[in-house]
Amino acid sequence: MKRSFFKKFKKLSAGAAREPQAQAALPNRISLGANGYRAAEWSPDRAYVYFPEIDPRLEMTSYTHLQLLKKARWLYTNIGLARRIVNGLAGFVCGGGLRPIPDTSDIAFNEEATRLFNAWAYTPGVFDVAGKFNFFTMQKKMYAHMLRDGDIFAVFAKAASGAPQMAFYTADKVGPYQCDKNTINGVYLNARGRALWYNFYDKITGKAKQLGASNVIHFGNFDSFGAARGTSAFVHAINNMLDITETQDYVKLGIKAASAVAYVVTTEGARAAPASGLAAALTEKVEVKDSEGKSYTVDQFTGGGSIPQLPSGQDIKMINDSRPHPNQQSFFDNLVRDISWGVNISPDILWNIEKAGGVGIRYAMSELQSFINDEQTRFKTSVLWRIYCYFIASKIEQGELKAPKGGEWWRVNWLAPARQTIDVGREGKTYSDMRSKNHITDDEFCRIRGKDWRSEARQRILEEKYKRELCAESGLSYAEVFGEKQNLTQTLEVNSNE
């Protein structure tokens, strides 16, 4: 009795032991990891995530940097969306160029500094070592290079006469070529992550040169505090853009193939008989003669239409192609949305503004303006301010510009291009009302329009003075020509009574 019981128990135990093995193929829905973070645990339901290095200095190897650079430039060269992202955002942020307005307490210094800087900044041959860009056209190009490549470098230089100049180098000019092993992609960092010098390399001459960080402006899209190099704005979008391009190529090839063959003639059973009727008319020139013996083609004779006469068993099938299918276009739109949000811009702005309603486009424009403000601040402090200070310091050192009385020659404000808007009339009226009620200053009102209030006030005074002098010369009163105008005191009194 006992022996038969143990035999039965062993058989049941063996089956129970084999049961988990049979269930092993099913997904394990219970987390049995070492902690409560399910995202940290491996799951057979998902692909393994491989990210070999989390130190920001080592995340991007020289090989990775080179491949991303090549692919980003290929996308920019061949794909319209990539060019739209780069050129569109550069245009939004820089426009016609941000302009410096010296802001020291010495008015005479401010005016002279402005005159000297404009004479230098507006002339490409004086400003740029290569003589291609001036201070204002450089801004859009430099920002575009930063977006495409990840970073760009500007170097303080001097002309043979000792005059200050700027030299610009793209991302491929700085790298680990012929460089110390302690550098990271051409950048030598100290223990605190600060760049000490950069390794510039010329592939044509094969020569390398190290420049100290104090002489270099490194403007980049840095993803983290410890990163040595910037990353391209396309880093998240390269695969999606390549997939869109390849898929569109296949769709286009299918459309072209379908367009090249308009119809097919099918035959049931036997071999196809010689073409006749419509088939013959489409494949060769068939002529007919009228009663007077004149010859005409079938198209001319029938007026472009005819009735096909086919042998028994033959049929004509027209090829109708529905590509691109709406599902394909929806798939493309989803990929573009991912690409657009990856650069922090609404896809309605970058891709298809037609689908956005009034409220949606206003919200997108509001987000765009916020992006523009942030990027303008970063561009001003990282690049433009250093270029301005380099020029002013050089002129003071050379004796061409006298230092301001109160010091602080580096103080400067920046005048940005006009704000982006789709409601010029409505917003203009709103800001005008706020200005008339002293809710905003003249400076704020003018900055919205991309203007300097000092220049505007000076121009207004010159215009008024010229009008009054012209009226006096003509023997007419100002009121007769231009009408009565409230003076400033009357305007303030009216506003205070409202």
Side-chain angles (χ1 to χ4, degrees):
M1 184 72 177
K2 284 185 178 181
R3 188 172 300 174
S4 61
F5 171 79
F6 282 117
K7 285 183 178 181
K8 188 178 295 185
F9 177 77
K10 287 181 180 180
K11 189 178 295 186
L12 291 174
S13 299
R18 287 192 299 270
E19 189 174 0
Q21 296 178 0
Q23 295 178 351
L26 297 175
N28 183 10
R29 301 295 180 184
I30 302 176
S31 177
L32 299 176
N35 55 63
Y37 293 93
R38 296 183 65 182
E41 304 302 331
W42 176 83
S43 170
D45 299 340
R46 300 175 187 88
Y48 179 73
V49 176
Y50 179 71
F51 201 78
E53 186 59 65
I54 59 174
D55 188 330
R57 298 169 299 175
L58 305 176
E59 279 183 1
M60 187 184 300
T61 64
S62 58
Y63 171 81
T64 302
H65 180 261
L66 179 61
Q67 295 306 312
L68 290 176
L69 191 59
K70 288 181 176 180
K71 291 183 178 181
R73 291 192 178 181
W74 186 92
L75 293 174
Y76 178 80
T77 303
N78 295 280
I79 299 179
L81 177 59
R83 298 184 75 90
R84 166 61 175 165
I85 291 174
V86 170
N87 298 333
L89 295 186
F92 288 141
V93 173
C94 301
L98 285 79
R99 185 156 55 95
I101 307 295
D103 192 34
T104 70
S105 58
D106 190 336
I107 297 178
F109 171 85
N110 295 343
E111 293 178 350
E112 183 64 11
T114 300
R115 185 187 69 82
L116 289 174
F117 184 84
N118 287 341
W120 177 71
Y122 275 104
T123 309
V126 176
F127 170 77
D128 183 9
V129 168
K132 295 179 180 178
F133 301 97
N134 65 28
F135 175 77
F136 302 100
T137 58
M138 167 277 300
Q139 296 179 30
K140 188 183 296 185
K141 185 62 64 175
M142 189 172 182
Y143 191 86
H145 275 69
M146 182 276 298
L147 289 175
R148 185 192 67 183
D149 297 344
D151 50 19
I152 187 172
F153 302 84
V155 176
F156 302 126
K158 286 188 180 294
S161 62
Q165 284 188 314
M166 297 300 302
F168 300 94
Y169 297 92
T170 51
D172 56 287
K173 299 297 188 296
V174 175
Y177 323 103
Q178 295 186 1
C179 193
D180 186 271
K181 65 179 181 179
N182 294 322
T183 61
I184 300 174
N185 288 329
V187 183
Y188 186 88
L189 304 175
N190 64 10
R192 296 185 177 183
R194 190 183 187 91
L196 298 182
W197 52 265
Y198 297 88
N199 186 71
F200 290 84
Y201 180 78
D202 189 336
K203 292 183 179 179
I204 296 178
T205 63
K207 295 180 180 180
K209 183 178 181 180
Q210 288 77 40
L211 294 178
S214 60
N215 294 320
V216 178
I217 298 175
H218 183 193
F219 182 56
N221 182 30
F222 302 106
D223 283 341
S224 60
F225 288 104
R229 298 295 298 268
T231 55
S232 170
F234 301 145
V235 68
H236 72 289
I238 288 175
N239 289 337
N240 280 346
M241 283 192 181
L242 291 175
D243 290 341
I244 291 175
T245 303
E246 292 175 358
T247 305
Q248 286 180 333
D249 287 344
Y250 295 144
V251 171
K252 185 164 58 176
L253 182 62
I255 294 175
K256 291 171 68 176
S259 300
V261 181
Y263 72 98
V264 294
V265 177
T266 61
T267 303
E268 293 184 4
R271 294 180 59 185
S276 62
L278 176 60
L282 292 173
T283 55
E284 61 178 331
K285 287 290 184 181
V286 179
E287 294 186 349
V288 295
K289 293 183 179 181
D290 61 8
S291 58
E292 297 179 358
K294 294 182 179 179
S295 299
Y296 298 91
T297 64
V298 170
D299 289 340
Q300 293 173 330
F301 184 77
T302 63
S306 60
I307 300 175
Q309 297 177 356
L310 300 175
S312 177
Q314 285 191 350
D315 186 20
I316 291 180
K317 292 185 178 180
M318 304 304 295
I319 297 179
N320 297 317
D321 187 58
S322 61
R323 286 170 289 196
H325 194 273
N327 290 344
Q328 293 173 330
Q329 191 58 50
S330 177
F331 175 67
F332 291 154
D333 289 342
N334 288 334
L335 293 180
V336 171
R337 291 182 69 84
D338 180 78
I339 293 169
S340 301
W341 288 124
V343 293
N344 205 26
I345 296 295
S346 168
D348 297 322
I349 300 295
L350 292 177
W351 179 246
N352 189 358
I353 202 170
E354 296 177 357
K355 294 183 179 181
V359 176
I361 193 58
R362 287 184 176 89
Y363 177 77
M365 292 298 293
S366 175
E367 271 202 335
L368 174 63
Q369 189 60 53
S370 177
F371 171 85
I372 291 172
N373 294 340
D374 292 342
E375 287 299 284
Q376 285 178 345
T377 299
R378 188 167 73 94
F379 195 41
K380 287 184 294 187
T381 55
S382 301
V383 178
L384 303 183
W385 181 78
R386 290 190 64 186
I387 294 177
Y388 172 82
C389 288
Y390 173 62
F391 173 80
I392 296 298
S394 298
K395 290 301 177 182
I396 293 176
E397 183 181 7
Q398 294 170 1
E400 297 184 40
L401 181 64
K402 187 177 180 180
K405 296 177 181 179
E408 297 183 337
W409 52 267
W410 57 86
R411 289 180 60 89
V412 62
N413 283 326
W414 293 91
L415 187 61
R419 292 168 58 95
Q420 300 291 327
T421 179
I422 60 172
D423 294 313
V424 177
R426 183 168 63 178
E427 291 186 5
K429 184 179 185 304
T430 300
Y431 290 128
S432 295
D433 292 342
M434 294 175 66
R435 183 193 186 193
S436 65
K437 296 178 181 179
N438 296 321
H439 292 166
I440 59 175
T441 64
D442 284 352
D443 180 45
E444 292 174 307
F445 179 76
C446 290
R447 283 182 180 275
I448 292 170
R449 298 160 47 240
K451 305 289 185 180
D452 175 34
W453 74 273
R454 299 180 186 86
S455 300
E456 293 290 292
R458 187 179 295 108
Q459 182 63 27
R460 172 65 68 86
I461 292 172
L462 290 175
E463 290 175 359
E464 288 294 321
K465 181 181 178 182
Y466 178 79
K467 290 176 183 178
R468 295 181 186 279
E469 290 176 350
L470 191 60
C471 288
E473 292 176 4
S474 304
L476 299 172
S477 67
Y478 184 88
E480 289 177 322
V481 179
F482 299 104
E484 294 290 343
K485 289 189 176 182
Q486 284 185 323
N487 59 34
L488 180 59
T489 304
Q490 292 173 328
T491 303
L492 293 176
E493 288 177 355
V494 171
N495 292 338
S496 61
N497 292 330
E498 288 182 349

